[in-house]
Amino acid sequence: MKRIKRRLAYAAVGSIMAAGTGLVGATAASAAPAPHVSSCDSYRNNGTVWTANCRVDYGKSQSWTRCSDGTVLYGAWVGTGYWIFRGDCSGHGRIVSYGHTDSP
């Protein structure tokens, strides 16, 4: 049986942090390329921290987390493989929304 090596990518408090009000606008669904992340599972959200196991098929992806004080946290860009995406709003209120974004 072949073993799969797991790599971790964390968006820890104070790692890469930027304030903002939104993500870059999306194009029409018919013109949008296929997402780099093919699947995520095992979502966990306790109100201030979220995690998910995600598979990146190609290119690069990163996690993002919007906190209740307006802070938006971004995880490191990661390449092909299996990753644990994570966001942590500790010190910035509670999680308002979260997800992942792909590089162009």
Side-chain angles (χ1 to χ4, degrees), residues 25-36 58 102-104:
T27 59
S30 61
H36 298 234
Y58 66 94
D102 299 327
S103 64

Side-chain angles (χ1 to χ4, degrees), residues 1-2 11 42 62 65 99:
M1 191 161 125
K2 188 177 180 181
S42 302
Q62 74 177 160
T65 308

